[in-house]
């Protein structure tokens, strides 16, 4: 029987411990990278992926003169809207962009009849599209890129049966690199802080106690006292409940200034993580020092730096791998999700109308019809208010100048008065 007199027990086997292993996670594997889809990374990914997956896709027919004509209905659009029996088109795109963010790669498998692999060919489309869990896929580079293979769940597939996308790793451009891998240190530091924070406050949302005894405690007595303390003095339902100590002493283990500074540093960690995702805190509901103007600016910048590049790359990959192979005259595109700057638009139209833009052209910018009888089809020269056509054919005349102010006639010149003037001889 071992004694426990004068020993301070770290009650982490029945109380709150510090949490965390103390070992930094390098997120070297795909599984570890996807496991980081928690906390700030989850929120940041959602802020990017949700609007990106919702972007409307459009199909166009390229004419011989280079102009494009929109195709409203087509098998390609049906396939992208309903790729399989499990996911909608938007859900599949949501998974695609999530894998690209966390793993750096995405694999969309094209299926033919009988669940056979589909290899794109002119005039042929797959019956279904299914996305593989990218963190469980093994890509094996062949002697040629098209000769590479994809291994998943014990099966090996030819690469041409996939719409494979990646964020090229500069160290190995045939493989992808994720945001999580690039920011591993900042993300893991935040995770260690969360575990430490949880350990500090897990026991009834307050610091732990240091319990010391004057007399030795047997193992049975210590375990019995520990269980009684857990049952009667931890958790929110036992907050502020009196604690009776006999033959010993209990002192609160208060947070030091260093501990408090450590907790405050989580805010810096959050900002560092969001910087890697190229997001402003206001996009995630952090409204401190945020107003409508800079929040709108944050949404605008998210569209430019995050949404548009991702959907553009996805559409290009679909065109190269599937659409152009099926029909070279077809082209997939998307509706630009970035909201237009209305103030800049109004300023441009206001300053251009009457100079390089007609009134009708300015009205068309706002979806308004033309003025009747061609009233809005004429440009005017500044300072003359004369139509350009009249100026060109010489019929326009500059406005008459105002007549000069003339001096009054001599007869009207007032005579000098001699009243009160003394004549001298």
């Amino acid at each position: 029987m071992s004694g426990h007199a004068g020993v301070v027990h770290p009650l982490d086997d029945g109380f709150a411990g510090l949490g965390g292993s103390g070992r930094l996670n390098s997120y070297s594997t795909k599984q570890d990278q996807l496991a980081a889809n928690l906390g700030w990374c989850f929120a940041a990914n959602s802020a990017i992926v949700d609007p990106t997956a919702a972007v409307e896709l459009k199909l166009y027919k390229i004419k011989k003169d280079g102009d494009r004509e929109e195709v409203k209905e087509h098998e390609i659009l049906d396939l992208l809207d309903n790729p399989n029996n499990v996911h909608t088109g938007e859900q599949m795109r949501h998974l695609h962009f999530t894998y690209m963010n966390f793993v750096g790669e995405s694999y969309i498998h094209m299926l033919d009849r009988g669940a056979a692999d589909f290899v794109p060919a002119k005039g042929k489309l797959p019956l279904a599209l299914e996305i593989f869990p990218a963190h469980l896929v093994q890509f094996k580079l062949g002697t040629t890129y098209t000769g590479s293979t994809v291994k998943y769940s014990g099966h090996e597939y030819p690469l041409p049966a996939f719409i494979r996308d990646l964020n090229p790793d500069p160290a190995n451009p045939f493989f992808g690199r994720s945001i999580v891998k690039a920011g591993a240190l900042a993300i893991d530091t935040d995770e260690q802080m969360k575990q430490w924070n949880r350990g500090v406050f897990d026991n009834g949302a307050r610091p732990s106690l240091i319990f010391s005894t004057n007399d030795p405690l047997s193992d049975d007595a210590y375990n019995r006292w520990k269980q009684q303390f857990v049952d009667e003095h931890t958790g929110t339902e036992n907050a502020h409940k009196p604690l009776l100590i006999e033959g010993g002493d209990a002192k609160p283990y208060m947070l030091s200034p260093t501990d408090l500074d450590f907790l405050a540093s989580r805010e810096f960690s959050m900002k560092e993580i969001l910087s890697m995702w190229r997001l402003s805190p206001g996009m995630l509901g952090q409204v401190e020092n945020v107003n409508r103007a800079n929040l709108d600016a944050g949404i605008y910048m998210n569209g430019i730096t995050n949404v548009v590049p991702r959907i553009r790359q996805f559409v290009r990959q679909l065109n190269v791998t599937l659409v152009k192979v099926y029909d070279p005259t077809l082209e997939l595109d998307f509706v630009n999700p970035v909201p237009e700057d209305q103030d800049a638009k109004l300023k441009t139209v206001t300053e251009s109308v009457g100079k390089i833009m007609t009134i009708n052209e300015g009205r068309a910018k706002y979806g308004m019809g033309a003025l009747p009888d061609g009233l809005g089809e004429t440009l005017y020269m500044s300072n003359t208010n004369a139509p350009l056509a009249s100026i060109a054919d010489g019929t326009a005349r500059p406005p008459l100048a105002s007549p000069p102010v003339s001096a009054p006639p001599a007869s009207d010149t007032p005579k000098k008065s001699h009243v009160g003037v003394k004549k001298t001889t």
Side-chain angles (χ1 to χ4, degrees), residues 93-386:
R93 293 193 295 274
H94 196 285
L95 287 169
H96 167 82
F97 295 122
T98 297
Y99 288 136
M100 290 290 287
N101 286 339
F102 283 98
V103 181
E105 300 176 355
S106 176
Y107 297 84
I108 298 177
H109 186 210
M110 296 179 284
L111 294 172
D112 207 342
R113 289 180 174 84
D117 297 329
F118 175 84
V119 178
K122 186 175 183 179
K124 294 183 179 181
L125 289 174
L127 293 182
L129 303 173
E130 62 176 357
I131 189 164
F132 280 11
H135 63 299
L136 301 178
V137 169
Q138 293 180 342
F139 174 73
K140 184 178 180 181
L141 187 63
T143 54
T144 62
Y145 183 73
T146 55
S148 303
T149 56
V150 174
K151 187 175 182 180
Y152 168 66
S153 189
H155 299 280
E156 195 168 80
Y157 306 87
L159 180 63
F162 287 84
I163 302 171
R164 180 181 186 249
D165 204 355
L166 73 159
N167 300 321
D169 185 350
N172 192 348
F174 293 102
F175 293 83
R177 188 185 189 191
S178 71
I179 298 174
V180 174
K181 176 64 176 177
L185 180 59
I187 295 172
D188 189 66
T189 299
D190 182 72
E191 182 63 26
Q192 294 286 338
M193 287 181 179
K194 286 191 296 185
Q195 294 295 334
W196 185 89
N197 189 14
R198 179 180 178 180
V200 171
F201 291 105
D202 199 29
N203 192 20
R206 56 187 173 82
S208 302
L209 294 175
I210 299 178
F211 177 74
S212 59
T213 62
N214 299 327
D215 299 318
L217 284 178
S218 66
D219 290 341
D220 291 339
Y222 167 71
N223 292 329
R224 184 172 61 252
W225 176 88
K226 182 181 69 174
Q227 188 60 48
Q228 180 181 356
F229 187 90
V230 170
D231 293 340
E232 299 181 4
H233 298 285
T234 61
T236 55
E237 67 276 8
N238 293 320
H240 304 292
K241 192 174 182 179
L243 174 64
L244 178 63
I245 299 295
E246 182 178 358
D249 185 26
K251 297 180 180 179
Y253 184 79
M254 303 303 296
L255 293 177
S256 67
T258 302
D259 296 332
L260 295 173
D261 182 66
F262 184 71
L263 293 176
S265 64
R266 285 205 60 200
E267 181 179 0
F268 174 81
S269 177
M270 177 266 292
K271 292 180 179 179
E272 186 177 9
I273 292 174
L274 295 188
S275 295
M276 292 187 308
W277 290 82
R278 296 191 292 182
L279 284 172
S280 64
M283 292 290 299
L284 278 68
Q286 302 298 308
V287 295
E288 183 180 359
N289 299 324
V290 173
N291 54 40
R292 178 62 184 271
N294 54 33
L295 181 58
D296 286 345
I299 296 174
Y300 182 79
M301 291 305 300
N302 184 43
I304 292 177
T305 60
N306 290 319
V307 177
V308 170
R310 284 169 170 81
I311 191 66
R312 182 176 58 218
Q313 171 60 21
F314 177 69
V315 166
R316 287 175 177 173
Q317 194 66 48
L318 285 173
N319 279 326
V320 171
T321 307
L322 180 62
V323 177
K324 290 290 186 180
V325 178
Y326 170 79
D327 185 348
T329 65
L330 292 177
E331 184 177 69
L332 197 67
D333 207 342
F334 62 94
V335 178
N336 193 339
V338 178
E340 192 171 17
D341 189 336
Q342 294 298 327
D343 292 337
K345 177 181 177 181
L346 179 61
K347 182 179 179 181
T348 300
V349 172
T350 302
E351 294 179 352
S352 300
V353 167
K355 298 177 182 177
I356 62 173
M357 184 186 297
T358 65
I359 294 176
N360 284 345
E361 289 172 335
R363 291 171 62 87
K365 295 291 185 180
Y366 288 91
M368 304 169 66
L371 294 177
D373 302 326
L375 296 177
E377 294 296 336
T378 305
L379 288 173
Y380 290 86
M381 288 290 290
S382 61
N383 300 327
T384 64
N385 289 331

Side-chain angles (χ1 to χ4, degrees), residues 388-396:
L388 289 178
S390 300
I391 296 175
D393 60 19
T395 60

Side-chain angles (χ1 to χ4, degrees), residues 61-104:
K61 182 79 171 180
I62 303 177
K63 300 180 180 180
K64 292 183 178 180
D65 59 2
D67 291 340
R68 301 194 310 176
E69 180 182 3
E70 184 179 356
V71 180
K72 299 288 186 180
E73 296 182 0
H74 198 277
E75 293 174 318
I76 292 178
L77 296 175
D78 295 337
L79 178 65
L80 295 176
D81 285 340
N82 300 284
N84 55 64
N85 295 329
V86 179
H87 302 123
T88 65
E90 186 170 333
Q91 288 174 328
M92 187 183 73
R93 293 193 295 274
H94 196 285
L95 287 169
H96 167 82
F97 295 122
T98 297
Y99 288 136
M100 290 290 287
N101 286 339
F102 283 98
V103 181

Side-chain angles (χ1 to χ4, degrees), residues 8-88:
V8 177
H9 292 276
L11 304 179
D12 54 343
D13 49 353
F15 303 84
L18 290 179
S21 63
R23 296 184 298 270
L24 293 179
N25 189 345
S26 62
Y27 297 99
S28 58
T29 68
K30 294 181 179 180
Q31 290 86 346
D32 288 342
Q33 292 165 20
L34 189 64
N37 191 11
L38 299 168
W40 294 120
C41 286
F42 171 82
N45 179 70
S46 299
I48 296 173
V49 169
D50 288 351
T52 309
V55 172
E56 182 182 0
L57 301 179
K58 288 183 176 293
L59 186 66
Y60 293 91
K61 182 79 171 180
I62 303 177
K63 300 180 180 180
K64 292 183 178 180
D65 59 2
D67 291 340
R68 301 194 310 176
E69 180 182 3
E70 184 179 356
V71 180
K72 299 288 186 180
E73 296 182 0
H74 198 277
E75 293 174 318
I76 292 178
L77 296 175
D78 295 337
L79 178 65
L80 295 176
D81 285 340
N82 300 284
N84 55 64
N85 295 329
V86 179
H87 302 123
T88 65

